[in-house]
Amino acid sequence: MALSVRALAAQRDLGLRVLAGALSDEPITWVHVSELVDPTPFLSGGELLLTTGLFVRDEVDLPAYVDRLCATRIRGLGFGVGLGFEQVPAELAAAADRTGLPLLEVPRGTPFIALSRAVSNALAADEYAAVTRTFTAQQELTRAALAADTPGRLIRLLARKVDGWVALVDERGAPLAVGGDSAAAMVPAVAVEVARLREHRGSVGAAFDIDLSGGADTVSLQPVGAGSRRRAYLAVGRPGPLSAADRHLVNAAVMLLTLGFEKDAVAPGTAAAVRSAVLEIALNGHVELARSVAARLGAPLPDDPMVVLIARPTAAAPAPAIADRPAVAGAFAALLDDELVVVAPLNATDSVTADLVGTGMTVGVSGAAHGADLAGAVTRAEQAADAAAERGKQWLTFDAIASSGITQLWNPEQATVFAESLLAPLVEHDRAGRGDLVASLRTWLAHHGQWDPAAAALRVHRHTLRRRIGLVGRLLGRDLDSPTVRSELWLASGMIGRGGR
């Protein structure tokens, strides 16, 4: 688990000596080295700050220095001796003891990098453990979804995993299944938000707070259904925001519920809608989960490397009929927004392409891809199919059009519509006069997610920018740590920034 100052000080090989303050068990979020008299603009709280005291001069107010650090809520201060000072200044130790700030003496023989390495190794171990727990939990959710005829078991399991409450409601806000002690009491408030979401077109989620007598619960509300079909809504709430691992579990649950609804909605013996749901699970980043579900349903996804083909239907070759043909079903075929998406082994590219072209359909081929880049491969295949249609060809590969330049890969009108749809929650927020989220998002992305330069460009405090970007993630229901998501938002915010259509 992540190291606390107490645990770090207990590592004998580091030779640290506790001089003042009260040791806590709160985890250290990072180690930062600074010789500034005021390093707080570069701290966000939770750090262990290291210094050799180069900033200490006769006129420096050390008690004020310590007060500033305490206000930033750092975990502790490490002072390296044997360079500028043979011992920690007594005034600094007294100020730390007065405020309770943990003060550690770092001996000359212990490099600061040793402390950084100890903390970063612990953080990396925590991240690995979180990934392992998330994968195991996803498997449990999958087994619960496939083993039960109703979603109740999945909903109750998800509530336990996120340590909160979960409610699955229909399009009118009526409960279908609940999990967690307080879930039933939350349904009326969830129904109000569902009514608001129904006014928006497309698959739009929401984040909001429910005030309680003992505080507030943060709630994530996501639509359930393939494509633009909304068959239900999943609400997940708990005190405080969901962690990144919890958000992955919620997304996996949405995909599994979508699969269940689509499976129930089709006639016996018809698997097209089920395969579409499996494809959407994969395109939302849960490739291994999609592989597991697809294998259980007898429609496995090909192993890496693979290729994605997009086939545009015609009157003579309707996509549903083509999707069930044996030659294509030997790979993996599913309908996505009235297009046929075929995921095939790379060595079957020529045969599958010839089979699709033989039906009279216009085909785009992505080129070699791996499961982790499945969404990108679908995009490349769509662009190749667009180019083939524009050039009057039956099929084209993405590689054949890539040399034409990126501006040839999208229609400006379509790009603007995409941007307006994607950023609609932010635009609506800004129009209500509650902030400038679109501009903040674009500036933050332009500075590669670096808080201080972006905040300086916007002329706001970095904590203000952090709150804005956090709100952006909640409103959009997107993972802003994903490079793919950041690229989409960068392009979309540029379209909005130029005034739209």
Side-chain angles (χ1 to χ4, degrees), residues 205-217:
F208 58 95
D209 292 334
I210 295 180
D211 293 326
L212 305 170
S213 58
D217 274 6

Side-chain angles (χ1 to χ4, degrees), residues 54-276:
L54 291 179
F55 68 92
V56 178
R57 299 179 296 276
D58 290 341
E59 67 275 14
V60 171
D61 188 343
L62 289 179
Y65 171 79
V66 171
D67 288 340
R68 287 192 294 272
L69 297 183
C70 289
T72 312
R73 296 179 175 273
I74 67 169
R75 296 287 183 257
L77 174 65
F79 195 100
V81 296
L83 293 173
F85 291 83
E86 291 303 318
Q87 60 184 12
V88 177
E91 186 180 11
L92 181 65
D97 201 40
R98 170 181 59 82
T99 60
L101 177 69
L103 176 61
L104 306 178
E105 180 186 86
V106 183
R108 178 70 176 85
T110 300
F112 283 176
I113 191 64
L115 278 70
S116 298
R117 185 180 297 115
V119 172
S120 63
N121 287 344
L123 292 173
D126 270 4
E127 291 179 2
Y128 178 77
V131 170
T132 302
R133 287 195 302 271
T134 300
F135 179 71
T136 301
Q138 284 183 346
Q139 290 181 315
E140 293 180 37
L141 291 175
T142 301
R143 288 194 293 268
L146 295 176
D149 294 331
T150 63
R153 180 177 172 183
L154 172 63
I155 297 302
R156 292 189 294 272
L157 178 59
L158 179 61
R160 292 197 299 271
K161 293 298 182 183
V162 301
D163 193 20
W165 57 267
V166 180
L168 180 68
V169 301
D170 64 18
E171 291 188 276
R172 297 172 292 109
L176 299 174
V178 295
D181 295 338
S182 59
M186 301 297 183
V187 169
V190 171
V192 173
E193 296 298 326
V194 166
R196 293 177 181 173
L197 285 189
R198 285 202 306 267
E199 299 174 1
H200 295 277
R201 296 191 309 171
S203 182
V204 179
F208 58 95
D209 292 334
I210 295 180
D211 293 326
L212 305 170
S213 58
D217 274 6
T218 299
V219 184
S220 171
L221 183 63
Q222 301 290 338
V224 176
S228 60
R229 297 186 297 273
R230 290 183 273 187
R231 302 192 183 279
Y233 290 86
L234 181 69
V236 180
R238 51 157 292 147
L242 294 171
S243 66
D246 287 340
R247 290 197 299 272
H248 282 300
L249 286 184
V250 172
N251 290 338
V254 169
M255 294 299 103
L256 288 168
L257 289 167
T258 294
L259 176 65
F261 278 108
E262 296 301 329
K263 183 178 179 181
D264 292 340
V266 299
T270 304
V274 177
R275 290 199 301 271
S276 296

